[in-house]
Amino acid sequence: MNSFSALDRAKYIEKLKNETFDLLVVGGGATGCGIALDAASRGMKTALVEKQDFASGTSSKSTKLIHGGLRYLKQFEIGLVRESGTERAIVHRLAPHLVLPEKMLLPLIEGGTFGKLSTSFGLWVYDLLAGVRGDDRRKMLSKKQALSLEPLLDESVLKGGGFYAEYRTDDARLTIETIKTAVRYGATALNYCLVTGFVEEEGKLVGATCQDVFSKKEFTVLARQIVSAGGPWVDVLRKQNDGDLGKKRLQPTKGVHLVFPHEKLPLRHSIYFDVPDGRMVFAIPRGRVTYVGTTDTAYHGSLDRVVCKVDDAAYLLAAVNHAFPSIELTLEDIESNWAGLRPLIHEEGKSPSELSRKDEIFEAPNGLISIAGGKLTGYRKMAQRIVYLVEERLPEDFPKSTTRNIPLTPDPLPSSKAVEDYIKRMEDKVTGFGLDRYYAWYLVTTYGKQSEEILAGMKKIEGDLPEVALARAESAFGVRAEMVSSAADFFMRRTGRLFFDIKSIPVVRQAVMADLAEMLGWDEPRQAAENQALDQLLADATTFYENEF
Ligand code: FAD
């Protein structure tokens, strides 16, 4: 079986250099990783290169919902709602520990976006399109029922509520598990590998020039077909390819989320609430925190460093304080934040919120296929469409896509109930290690049954605080099995600590950095650079800037 270890990096580079692939995917976000899995599982010889880390672009900055997109119903994007609704059930089945059912409360308020009748009908259609059955179907609530579910709501304007089914995930982990699965099916995938240009022969694309970001060495990857899934960078890659964007181009919009300690915003349920300007925002309890988002504003800053501005934080604070007036949150209450870019397609005369979330495929005359837009929720279906297009261009036939039946971890838990039972069993184990019960939930919803491997690693670590020993065992697992190649990979995308448990970072940092340095052979300058990069990430997660970069 193929490995997915940062320790085998040189081996992957040799493979990329020396073999010719049926398909090269550029970009290791949810879309690119989904494409790699679809292609590899259908027997295509597949490679994927990612300029930074897997999921380092938009795919770690979303609202982290696998959802049907209720607001798209309002825009009559029925096809999008139906596809998302079907897909969320499939993705839940493929990774029940990672895509968890999440009941959403939609408060109905005086002068709000949705009235009682339209909500009742809208949620009924929403459930119908997604095939939601039984007890999971939407329930309409009286004012009293809505308040008893969520006492922090503003009683003076509340009229009732809708209560309906969605799913919550960890976008970065979903992306990582997808690429790990693609590699199990034979794909070759490398992070920190930048595509610097494309190679053409007789007007047809035959490869891409790549740079190993760590050694700065250049090499060429040869492939019969190339797909760019570059997210917000898709136009940069299209320009690199033939310089021509044609009529359709990207218009990134920025979305910010704020993270509060749960005790500061102690919601009992996820809530999708009205903002006075007519938009709607989510507030989602998750483990130790509650996060709130998102904004949706036109963006013209750096694609590589997207930050939360004072205005973004002020907007979300006002929104949350308006919906839950007894809370009175301030900037000081914000524990962490993240900001990301939606790779949306420009439409003349439309505001950021009005732009369609549909995906778009661009085909260049020399054969480069680019895909952008869409949603995390639809990554599997988007991947299927792209790989069928790739197949049309290859002379041979491949078996049909089976990703709807390919679990995203090697030893999957079969259902939500099994996940709950497993968390309960895990509680005894983690408390046996001297850890808080919280870590049972954390481990299972992060790694599923791979938690066992981490706990086995923890047994071998002596003399540390339990939290430190756990983080060290996780980092060893991350390097060996999840291509952790930098401190940011570990703290931000494999463990989510930067967003959901930022206070734990100073506690475990020194030990984890020392282990990473030893495992990955970092010299002193590299250790200094890694520490500096982590300091910047911590600063960006806790600072509100006046301007974009
Ligand atoms: P990305 O994740 O950005 O991946 C593109 C990758 O390409 C990057 O990792 C980048 O480094 C790499 N790349 C670029 N150039 C190169 C190069 N030259 N060489 C090599 N690699 C390169 N969707 C949902 O379903 N549910 C939600 O709740 C949700 N909420 C959202 C909230 C916000 C604020 C935002 C911004 C989006 C949200 N979305 C949501 C949408 C979803 O996050 C995106 O559709 C999805 O993550 C896009 O994935 P992607 O792979 O296309 O792009």
Side-chain angles (χ1 to χ4, degrees), residues 26-31 49-51 56-59 61-65 67 193-195 229-233 237 255 257 294 340-342 374-377:
V26 183
T31 311
V49 291
E50 159 57 51
K51 76 182 171 84
S56 59
T58 305
S59 299
K61 319 284 172 34
S62 77
T63 308
K64 305 177 196 299
L65 291 173
H67 62 152
C193 182
L194 169 76
V195 167
W233 294 266
L237 284 154
H257 291 82
T294 171
L341 299 178
R342 299 174 188 83
K375 297 168 67 200
L376 183 69
T377 309

Side-chain angles (χ1 to χ4, degrees), residues 5 56 94 114 241 315 357 401 514 519 526 528 535:
S5 165
S56 59
L94 301 179
F114 294 105
N241 179 42
Y315 174 88
R357 266 58 181 167
S401 170
M519 286 185 281
R526 176 73 193 275
D535 284 340

Side-chain angles (χ1 to χ4, degrees), residues 60-78:
S60 52
K61 319 284 172 34
S62 77
T63 308
K64 305 177 196 299
L65 291 173
I66 296 294
H67 62 152
L70 186 59
R71 75 189 198 86
Y72 312 129
L73 195 59
K74 228 178 118 194
Q75 293 164 335
F76 297 106
E77 299 208 49
I78 302 291

Side-chain angles (χ1 to χ4, degrees), residues 207-223:
T209 47
C210 297
Q211 187 193 54
D212 172 9
V213 171
F214 298 133
S215 69
K216 304 280 181 249
K217 285 196 182 132
E218 296 251 345
F219 57 94
T220 300
V221 181
L222 295 177

